[in-house]
Every structure is written in C-alpha cells, then in structure tokens.
Amino acid sequence: MKKKRSIIALAIALVLFIYCITTYKLMSSRTYQVAGELVSRVETSQKVVALTFDDGPSGHTDDILKTLEQADVQATFFLIGTEIEKRPEDVKKLLQAGHEIGNHTYHHNRMIFKSPSYLRDEVEKTDQLLRDAGVTGEILFRPPNGKKLLYLPYYLSQHDRKTIMWNLEPDSLDEIASSADQIVEYTLTNIQPGSIILLHAMYDSRAESLKAVQGIVSGLKAQGYQFKTVSELLQMQGK
Ligand SMILES: [Zn+2]
C-alpha cells in the first residue's frame, strides 16, 4: 500500500515537472507559439536582414537616429507605451526618418499569467498611442522578453497580427554585451539571409550596443547584405 502511494506521488511529481518544463519552453520559445504567426527569421535566399531596437523611446532616441542616418539604414523600433507617453515627439522623429515602429506593450511586463483583459489593454493602449503619433498600416507586435503563453498568441491571431521575435540578440549575451567589437563580430559571424537582429541601444547601460551599429552595418554591407524594415523583410519570405 505504502509502495503504491509513493509510486503515485512520484508519477504526480513527474507530470508536474514535465508540465513546468513544457510551460517554460512554450513561453520562452522564439520559434513556436500555440496560435498565430511567429517570425524569428524570414526564409529567403536574398541577402537581406532587419535591424531592430527594443524599448524606449528614451533620451538616446536622437543618438540612435543620428547613427542610423550616418549608416544610411532604416530600422524597426518596438516601443513601450508608457515611454511613448513621455516622448511622443520621438515617435514622429523616427517615422520622419523612415523607420518602422512596432508595439512592445504598454508596461513592458511579461505577458504571461495575466488576465485576458490585461493582455488586451497592454496591446491596444499602445496601438492607440502609436496611431496618435502618426503610425499607419499594420502595427507589428513584439512581446517583452519574448514571453507569451496561451491567450496572447490567441488574441494576436484573432486580430491577424504577427508576433515578431528575432534570431540574433548579441547584446543579451553577457560575455559580449560589454564590447562593441564583440557585438559586431558575433553578428557578422552568425548572420544568415533573413535574420532579425535585436539590440537594446535605448538604455544608458547599452552604449556599446549603439557603438556597434556602425560596425554591424558596414560589415554586413561589405558581405553584400541590404537592410530592410521588418515589414519589408516579411515581403521577402520565400524569395
Ligand atoms: Zn523589451
């Protein structure tokens, strides 16, 4: 009897363990979600890539704009609603310079284990701020920290929205984030046609990420790559 009980306890523990691992993998996956379209890289044989910046706008928007102008590339920015409210003019400046702007939620909280209405508000409040600042057309969405589980993908698929992830995030790797040269080298080494590169240059602590932009752009252009916004990159799917 005792033995039977301990077998049952063990089985329950195992099921819970598998459930936790599966949940974690699911919410963190860059390439899979339960519903709707998730893009971490575009399948193409053309030498095209997209440079994306997460978070902000911030006091570094102008620095990034200047760097991108000097590098002569357009990028895609996933901005946070609460930060847009502080700097709505930054959105206009980014648009005027030809960059694309996506939605990165209102509060930048992890979009898991929250109520459907909370998740919906996070997306829709930020959409409205972007519309007020002049964003037209489809608004791409990227979840904070890439986290999503069940309702968020369902909601996005119901609204025919894509979840835009990334396949290269050089400044999220501690061992290289503190060196612009290493960020550049990592990017140039691991690039593939259709790659989506993520940088976090909006923060004071990420000066090296901003410094790396010029090297990433000139290095990739030397390899024959062209820079596209994420929407333009999506058009290259299968080409
Ligand atoms: Zn973020």
Side-chain angles (χ1 to χ4, degrees), residues 134-200:
V135 174
T136 54
E138 184 186 356
I139 300 177
L140 301 174
F141 178 81
R142 175 177 279 169
N145 307 104
K147 297 274 188 275
K148 67 255 161 287
L149 205 51
L150 300 176
Y151 181 76
L152 179 64
Y154 170 76
Y155 166 84
L156 293 168
S157 75
Q158 289 298 299
H159 292 81
D160 212 12
R161 307 267 300 255
K162 294 178 191 73
T163 305
I164 307 299
M165 304 290 274
W166 57 86
N167 69 319
L168 288 180
E169 48 175 332
D171 69 7
S172 296
L173 301 166
D174 288 342
E175 61 279 18
I176 63 169
S178 57
S179 154
D181 288 345
Q182 287 196 58
I183 293 172
V184 173
E185 196 195 311
Y186 176 89
T187 309
L188 299 189
T189 309
N190 291 287
I191 203 77
Q192 291 170 270
S195 281
I196 300 176
I197 306 161
L198 163 60
L199 291 173
H200 293 88

Coordinates of all heavy atoms in Angstrom, one line a residue, residues 134-200:
G134 N 1.0 59.0 -35.3 CA 1.1 59.1 -36.8 C 1.4 57.7 -37.4 O 1.6 57.7 -38.6
V135 N 1.4 56.6 -36.7 CA 1.8 55.3 -37.3 C 0.5 54.9 -38.1 O -0.6 54.9 -37.6 CB 2.1 54.3 -36.2 CG1 2.3 52.9 -36.8 CG2 3.4 54.7 -35.5
T136 N 0.8 54.5 -39.3 CA -0.3 54.0 -40.2 C 0.0 52.5 -40.6 O 1.1 52.1 -40.4 CB -0.5 54.8 -41.4 OG1 0.8 54.8 -42.1 CG2 -0.9 56.2 -41.1
G137 N -1.0 51.8 -41.1 CA -0.8 50.5 -41.6 C -0.7 49.5 -40.5 O -1.1 49.8 -39.3
E138 N -0.3 48.3 -40.8 CA -0.2 47.2 -39.8 C 0.8 47.5 -38.7 O 1.9 48.0 -39.1 CB 0.1 45.9 -40.5 CG 0.1 44.7 -39.6 CD 0.6 43.4 -40.2 OE1 0.9 43.4 -41.4 OE2 0.7 42.4 -39.5
I139 N 0.5 47.3 -37.5 CA 1.4 47.5 -36.4 C 1.9 46.2 -35.9 O 1.2 45.3 -35.4 CB 0.8 48.3 -35.2 CG1 0.3 49.7 -35.7 CG2 1.8 48.5 -34.1 CD1 -0.4 50.5 -34.6
L140 N 3.2 46.0 -36.1 CA 3.8 44.7 -35.7 C 3.9 44.7 -34.2 O 4.0 45.7 -33.5 CB 5.2 44.6 -36.3 CG 5.3 44.6 -37.8 CD1 6.8 44.6 -38.3 CD2 4.6 43.4 -38.4
F141 N 4.0 43.5 -33.6 CA 4.0 43.3 -32.2 C 5.2 42.4 -31.7 O 5.5 41.4 -32.4 CB 2.7 42.7 -31.7 CG 2.7 42.5 -30.2 CD1 2.4 43.5 -29.3 CD2 3.0 41.2 -29.7 CE1 2.4 43.3 -28.0 CE2 3.0 41.0 -28.3 CZ 2.7 42.1 -27.4
R142 N 5.8 42.9 -30.7 CA 6.9 42.0 -30.1 C 6.7 42.0 -28.6 O 6.6 43.0 -27.9 CB 8.3 42.6 -30.4 CG 9.4 41.8 -29.7 CD 10.7 42.3 -30.1 NE 11.2 41.8 -31.4 CZ 12.3 42.3 -32.0 NH1 13.0 43.3 -31.5 NH2 12.6 41.7 -33.2
P143 N 6.5 40.8 -28.0 CA 6.3 40.7 -26.5 C 7.5 41.0 -25.7 O 8.6 40.6 -26.2 CB 5.8 39.2 -26.3 CG 6.3 38.5 -27.5 CD 6.5 39.5 -28.6
P144 N 7.4 41.7 -24.6 CA 8.6 41.9 -23.7 C 9.3 40.6 -23.4 O 8.6 39.6 -23.0 CB 8.0 42.6 -22.5 CG 6.7 43.1 -22.9 CD 6.2 42.2 -24.0
N145 N 10.6 40.6 -23.5 CA 11.4 39.4 -23.2 C 11.0 38.2 -24.0 O 11.3 37.1 -23.7 CB 11.4 39.0 -21.7 CG 11.7 40.2 -20.8 OD1 10.9 40.8 -20.2 ND2 13.0 40.6 -20.8
G146 N 10.3 38.5 -25.1 CA 9.8 37.4 -26.0 C 8.9 36.4 -25.3 O 8.6 35.3 -25.8
K147 N 8.2 36.8 -24.1 CA 7.4 35.9 -23.4 C 5.9 35.9 -23.8 O 5.3 37.0 -23.9 CB 7.5 36.2 -21.9 CG 8.9 36.0 -21.3 CD 9.1 34.6 -20.9 CE 10.4 34.4 -20.1 NZ 11.6 34.2 -21.0
K148 N 5.4 34.8 -24.1 CA 4.0 34.6 -24.4 C 3.6 33.2 -24.1 O 4.4 32.3 -24.1 CB 3.7 35.0 -25.9 CG 4.3 33.9 -26.8 CD 5.5 34.5 -27.5 CE 6.4 33.4 -28.1 NZ 7.2 32.6 -27.1
L149 N 2.3 33.0 -23.8 CA 1.9 31.6 -23.5 C 0.6 31.2 -24.3 O 0.8 30.8 -25.4 CB 1.6 31.5 -22.0 CG 1.8 30.2 -21.4 CD1 3.1 29.5 -21.7 CD2 1.7 30.3 -19.8
L150 N -0.6 31.5 -23.8 CA -1.7 31.0 -24.5 C -2.6 32.1 -25.0 O -2.9 32.2 -26.2 CB -2.6 30.1 -23.5 CG -1.8 28.9 -23.0 CD1 -2.7 28.1 -22.0 CD2 -1.4 27.9 -24.1
Y151 N -3.1 33.0 -24.1 CA -4.1 34.0 -24.5 C -3.5 35.0 -25.5 O -4.1 35.4 -26.5 CB -4.7 34.7 -23.4 CG -5.8 35.7 -23.9 CD1 -7.0 35.3 -24.3 CD2 -5.5 37.1 -24.0 CE1 -7.9 36.2 -24.9 CE2 -6.4 38.0 -24.5 CZ -7.6 37.5 -25.0 OH -8.5 38.4 -25.5
L152 N -2.2 35.5 -25.2 CA -1.6 36.5 -26.1 C -1.5 36.0 -27.6 O -2.0 36.7 -28.5 CB -0.3 36.9 -25.6 CG 0.5 37.9 -26.4 CD1 -0.3 39.3 -26.4 CD2 1.9 38.2 -25.8
P153 N -1.0 34.8 -27.8 CA -0.9 34.4 -29.2 C -2.3 34.2 -29.8 O -2.6 34.5 -31.0 CB -0.2 33.0 -29.1 CG 0.6 33.1 -27.9 CD -0.2 33.9 -26.9
Y154 N -3.3 33.8 -28.9 CA -4.7 33.6 -29.4 C -5.2 35.0 -29.8 O -5.8 35.1 -30.9 CB -5.5 33.0 -28.3 CG -7.0 33.0 -28.6 CD1 -7.5 32.1 -29.6 CD2 -7.8 33.9 -28.0 CE1 -8.9 32.1 -29.9 CE2 -9.2 33.9 -28.3 CZ -9.7 33.0 -29.3 OH -11.0 33.1 -29.6
Y155 N -5.1 36.0 -28.9 CA -5.6 37.3 -29.2 C -5.0 37.9 -30.5 O -5.7 38.4 -31.4 CB -5.2 38.2 -28.0 CG -5.4 39.7 -28.3 CD1 -6.7 40.3 -28.2 CD2 -4.3 40.5 -28.8 CE1 -6.8 41.7 -28.6 CE2 -4.5 41.8 -29.1 CZ -5.7 42.4 -29.0 OH -5.9 43.7 -29.3
L156 N -3.6 37.7 -30.6 CA -3.0 38.3 -31.8 C -3.5 37.6 -33.1 O -3.7 38.2 -34.1 CB -1.4 38.1 -31.7 CG -0.8 39.0 -30.6 CD1 0.6 38.6 -30.3 CD2 -0.9 40.5 -30.9
S157 N -3.6 36.2 -33.0 CA -4.1 35.5 -34.2 C -5.5 35.9 -34.6 O -5.9 36.1 -35.7 CB -4.0 34.0 -34.0 OG -5.0 33.6 -33.1
Q158 N -6.4 36.2 -33.5 CA -7.7 36.7 -33.8 C -7.7 38.0 -34.5 O -8.7 38.3 -35.2 CB -8.5 36.8 -32.5 CG -8.9 35.5 -31.8 CD -9.8 34.6 -32.6 OE1 -10.9 35.1 -33.0 NE2 -9.3 33.5 -33.0
H159 N -6.7 38.8 -34.3 CA -6.6 40.1 -34.9 C -5.7 40.1 -36.1 O -5.2 41.2 -36.5 CB -6.2 41.2 -33.8 CG -7.3 41.4 -32.8 ND1 -7.5 40.6 -31.7 CD2 -8.2 42.4 -32.8 CE1 -8.5 41.0 -31.1 NE2 -9.0 42.1 -31.6
D160 N -5.3 38.9 -36.5 CA -4.4 38.8 -37.7 C -3.1 39.5 -37.5 O -2.7 40.2 -38.4 CB -5.2 39.3 -38.9 CG -4.8 38.6 -40.2 OD1 -4.2 37.5 -40.0 OD2 -5.2 39.1 -41.3
R161 N -2.6 39.5 -36.3 CA -1.3 40.2 -36.0 C -0.2 39.1 -35.9 O -0.4 38.1 -35.4 CB -1.4 40.9 -34.7 CG -2.6 41.8 -34.5 CD -2.3 43.2 -34.9 NE -1.2 43.9 -34.2 CZ -1.5 44.8 -33.3 NH1 -2.7 45.1 -32.9 NH2 -0.5 45.5 -32.7
K162 N 1.0 39.6 -36.4 CA 2.1 38.7 -36.3 C 2.9 39.0 -35.0 O 3.0 40.1 -34.5 CB 3.1 38.9 -37.4 CG 2.5 38.5 -38.8 CD 3.4 38.8 -39.9 CE 2.7 38.6 -41.2 NZ 1.8 39.7 -41.5
T163 N 3.6 38.0 -34.4 CA 4.5 38.1 -33.3 C 5.9 38.2 -33.9 O 6.3 37.2 -34.5 CB 4.4 37.0 -32.3 OG1 3.0 36.9 -31.9 CG2 5.3 37.2 -31.1
I164 N 6.6 39.3 -33.7 CA 7.9 39.4 -34.3 C 8.9 39.1 -33.2 O 9.0 39.9 -32.2 CB 8.1 40.8 -34.9 CG1 7.0 41.1 -35.9 CG2 9.5 40.9 -35.6 CD1 6.9 40.2 -37.1
M165 N 9.7 38.1 -33.4 CA 10.8 37.8 -32.5 C 12.1 38.2 -33.2 O 12.2 39.1 -33.9 CB 10.8 36.3 -32.1 CG 9.4 35.9 -31.5 SD 9.1 36.5 -29.9 CE 9.9 35.3 -28.9
W166 N 13.1 37.4 -33.0 CA 14.5 37.7 -33.5 C 15.3 36.4 -33.5 O 14.9 35.5 -32.8 CB 15.1 38.8 -32.6 CG 15.3 38.3 -31.2 CD1 16.3 37.5 -30.7 CD2 14.3 38.5 -30.2 NE1 16.0 37.3 -29.4 CE2 14.8 37.8 -29.0 CE3 13.1 39.2 -30.1 CZ2 14.1 37.8 -27.8 CZ3 12.4 39.1 -28.9 CH2 12.9 38.5 -27.8
N167 N 16.3 36.4 -34.3 CA 17.2 35.2 -34.2 C 18.6 35.5 -33.8 O 19.4 34.7 -33.6 CB 17.2 34.4 -35.5 CG 17.9 35.1 -36.7 OD1 17.7 36.3 -36.8 ND2 18.6 34.4 -37.5
L168 N 18.9 36.8 -33.7 CA 20.2 37.3 -33.2 C 20.0 38.4 -32.1 O 19.4 39.4 -32.4 CB 21.1 37.8 -34.3 CG 21.7 36.8 -35.3 CD1 22.5 37.6 -36.4 CD2 22.5 35.8 -34.7
E169 N 20.5 38.1 -30.9 CA 20.4 39.2 -29.9 C 21.8 39.3 -29.2 O 22.0 38.9 -28.0 CB 19.3 38.8 -28.9 CG 19.3 37.4 -28.3 CD 18.2 37.2 -27.3 OE1 17.9 38.2 -26.6 OE2 17.8 36.1 -27.1
P170 N 22.8 39.9 -29.9 CA 24.1 39.9 -29.4 C 24.3 40.6 -28.0 O 25.0 40.1 -27.2 CB 24.9 40.7 -30.5 CG 23.9 41.3 -31.3 CD 22.7 40.5 -31.2
D171 N 23.5 41.7 -27.8 CA 23.7 42.4 -26.5 C 23.0 41.7 -25.3 O 23.0 42.3 -24.2 CB 23.5 43.9 -26.6 CG 22.1 44.3 -26.9 OD1 21.2 43.4 -26.8 OD2 21.8 45.5 -27.1
S172 N 22.3 40.6 -25.6 CA 21.7 39.9 -24.5 C 22.6 38.8 -23.9 O 22.3 38.1 -23.0 CB 20.4 39.2 -24.9 OG 19.4 40.2 -25.2
L173 N 23.8 38.7 -24.6 CA 24.8 37.7 -24.1 C 25.8 38.4 -23.3 O 26.5 39.3 -23.8 CB 25.5 37.0 -25.4 CG 24.5 36.3 -26.3 CD1 25.2 36.0 -27.6 CD2 24.0 35.0 -25.7
D174 N 25.8 38.1 -22.0 CA 26.6 38.8 -21.0 C 28.1 38.9 -21.4 O 28.7 39.9 -21.2 CB 26.5 38.2 -19.6 CG 25.2 38.4 -19.0 OD1 24.5 39.4 -19.5 OD2 24.8 37.7 -18.1
E175 N 28.6 37.8 -22.0 CA 30.0 37.7 -22.3 C 30.4 38.7 -23.4 O 31.6 39.0 -23.6 CB 30.5 36.3 -22.6 CG 29.8 35.6 -23.7 CD 28.5 35.0 -23.5 OE1 27.8 35.4 -22.5 OE2 28.0 34.1 -24.3
I176 N 29.5 39.1 -24.2 CA 29.9 40.0 -25.3 C 29.2 41.4 -25.3 O 29.7 42.3 -26.0 CB 29.6 39.4 -26.7 CG1 28.2 39.2 -27.0 CG2 30.4 38.2 -26.9 CD1 27.9 38.8 -28.4
A177 N 28.2 41.6 -24.4 CA 27.4 42.8 -24.4 C 28.3 44.1 -24.0 O 27.9 45.2 -24.4 CB 26.3 42.7 -23.4
S178 N 29.4 43.9 -23.3 CA 30.2 45.0 -22.8 C 31.2 45.5 -23.8 O 32.0 46.3 -23.5 CB 30.8 44.6 -21.5 OG 31.6 43.5 -21.7
S179 N 31.2 44.9 -25.0 CA 32.2 45.2 -26.0 C 31.6 45.4 -27.4 O 31.0 44.5 -28.0 CB 33.3 44.2 -26.1 OG 33.9 44.2 -27.3
A180 N 31.6 46.6 -27.9 CA 31.0 46.9 -29.3 C 31.7 46.0 -30.3 O 31.0 45.4 -31.2 CB 31.2 48.4 -29.6
D181 N 33.0 45.8 -30.2 CA 33.7 45.0 -31.2 C 33.2 43.6 -31.2 O 33.0 42.9 -32.2 CB 35.2 45.0 -30.9 CG 35.9 46.3 -31.2 OD1 35.2 47.1 -31.9 OD2 37.0 46.5 -30.7
Q182 N 32.9 43.1 -30.0 CA 32.4 41.7 -29.9 C 31.0 41.5 -30.4 O 30.6 40.5 -30.9 CB 32.5 41.2 -28.4 CG 34.0 40.9 -28.1 CD 34.1 40.0 -26.8 OE1 33.5 38.9 -26.8 NE2 34.7 40.5 -25.8
I183 N 30.2 42.6 -30.1 CA 28.8 42.6 -30.6 C 28.8 42.5 -32.1 O 28.1 41.8 -32.8 CB 28.0 43.8 -30.1 CG1 27.9 43.8 -28.6 CG2 26.7 44.0 -30.8 CD1 27.3 45.0 -28.0
V184 N 29.7 43.3 -32.7 CA 29.8 43.4 -34.2 C 30.3 42.0 -34.7 O 29.7 41.4 -35.6 CB 30.9 44.5 -34.6 CG1 31.1 44.4 -36.2 CG2 30.3 45.8 -34.3
E185 N 31.3 41.5 -34.1 CA 31.9 40.2 -34.5 C 30.9 39.1 -34.5 O 30.7 38.3 -35.4 CB 33.2 39.9 -33.7 CG 34.0 38.8 -34.3 CD 35.0 38.2 -33.3 OE1 35.7 39.0 -32.6 OE2 35.1 37.0 -33.2
Y186 N 30.2 39.0 -33.3 CA 29.2 38.0 -33.1 C 28.1 38.1 -34.2 O 27.7 37.1 -34.8 CB 28.5 38.1 -31.8 CG 27.4 37.2 -31.5 CD1 27.6 35.9 -31.0 CD2 26.1 37.5 -31.9 CE1 26.6 35.0 -30.8 CE2 25.0 36.6 -31.7 CZ 25.3 35.4 -31.1 OH 24.3 34.5 -30.9
T187 N 27.7 39.3 -34.5 CA 26.6 39.5 -35.5 C 27.1 39.1 -36.9 O 26.4 38.4 -37.6 CB 26.1 41.0 -35.5 OG1 25.8 41.4 -34.2 CG2 24.9 41.2 -36.4
L188 N 28.3 39.6 -37.3 CA 28.8 39.2 -38.6 C 29.1 37.8 -38.8 O 28.9 37.2 -39.9 CB 30.1 40.0 -38.9 CG 30.1 41.6 -38.8 CD1 31.4 42.2 -39.3 CD2 28.9 42.1 -39.6
T189 N 29.4 37.1 -37.7 CA 29.7 35.6 -37.8 C 28.4 34.8 -37.9 O 28.4 33.8 -38.6 CB 30.5 35.2 -36.5 OG1 31.6 36.1 -36.4 CG2 31.0 33.8 -36.7
N190 N 27.4 35.2 -37.2 CA 26.2 34.4 -37.1 C 25.1 34.8 -38.0 O 24.0 34.2 -38.0 CB 25.7 34.4 -35.6 CG 26.6 33.7 -34.7 OD1 26.7 32.5 -34.7 ND2 27.4 34.5 -34.0
I191 N 25.3 35.8 -38.8 CA 24.2 36.3 -39.7 C 23.8 35.3 -40.7 O 24.6 34.5 -41.2 CB 24.7 37.7 -40.4 CG1 23.5 38.5 -40.8 CG2 25.6 37.4 -41.6 CD1 22.8 39.2 -39.7
Q192 N 22.5 35.3 -41.1 CA 22.0 34.5 -42.2 C 21.1 35.4 -43.0 O 20.5 36.3 -42.4 CB 21.1 33.3 -41.6 CG 21.8 32.3 -40.9 CD 20.8 31.4 -40.2 OE1 20.4 31.7 -39.1 NE2 20.3 30.4 -40.9
P193 N 20.8 35.0 -44.3 CA 19.8 35.8 -45.0 C 18.5 35.7 -44.3 O 18.1 34.7 -43.8 CB 19.7 35.0 -46.3 CG 21.1 34.4 -46.5 CD 21.5 34.0 -45.1
G194 N 17.8 36.9 -44.2 CA 16.5 36.9 -43.5 C 16.6 37.1 -42.0 O 15.6 37.0 -41.3
S195 N 17.8 37.3 -41.4 CA 18.0 37.4 -40.0 C 17.3 38.7 -39.4 O 17.2 39.7 -40.1 CB 19.4 37.5 -39.6 OG 20.0 36.2 -39.6
I196 N 16.8 38.6 -38.2 CA 16.3 39.7 -37.5 C 17.2 39.9 -36.3 O 17.3 39.1 -35.4 CB 14.8 39.5 -37.0 CG1 13.9 39.3 -38.3 CG2 14.3 40.7 -36.2 CD1 12.5 39.0 -37.9
I197 N 17.9 41.1 -36.3 CA 18.9 41.4 -35.2 C 18.2 42.3 -34.2 O 17.5 43.2 -34.5 CB 20.1 42.2 -35.8 CG1 20.7 41.4 -37.0 CG2 21.1 42.5 -34.8 CD1 21.5 42.3 -37.9
L198 N 18.4 41.9 -32.9 CA 17.8 42.7 -31.8 C 19.0 43.4 -31.0 O 19.9 42.8 -30.6 CB 17.0 41.8 -30.9 CG 16.7 42.4 -29.5 CD1 15.9 43.6 -29.5 CD2 15.9 41.3 -28.7
L199 N 18.8 44.7 -30.9 CA 19.7 45.5 -30.0 C 18.9 46.3 -29.0 O 17.8 46.6 -29.3 CB 20.6 46.4 -30.8 CG 21.7 45.8 -31.7 CD1 22.3 46.9 -32.6 CD2 22.7 45.1 -31.0
H200 N 19.6 46.7 -27.9 CA 18.9 47.4 -26.8 C 19.5 48.8 -26.6 O 19.9 49.1 -25.4 CB 18.9 46.6 -25.5 CG 18.0 45.4 -25.5 ND1 18.5 44.2 -26.0 CD2 16.7 45.2 -25.2 CE1 17.6 43.3 -25.9 NE2 16.5 43.8 -25.5

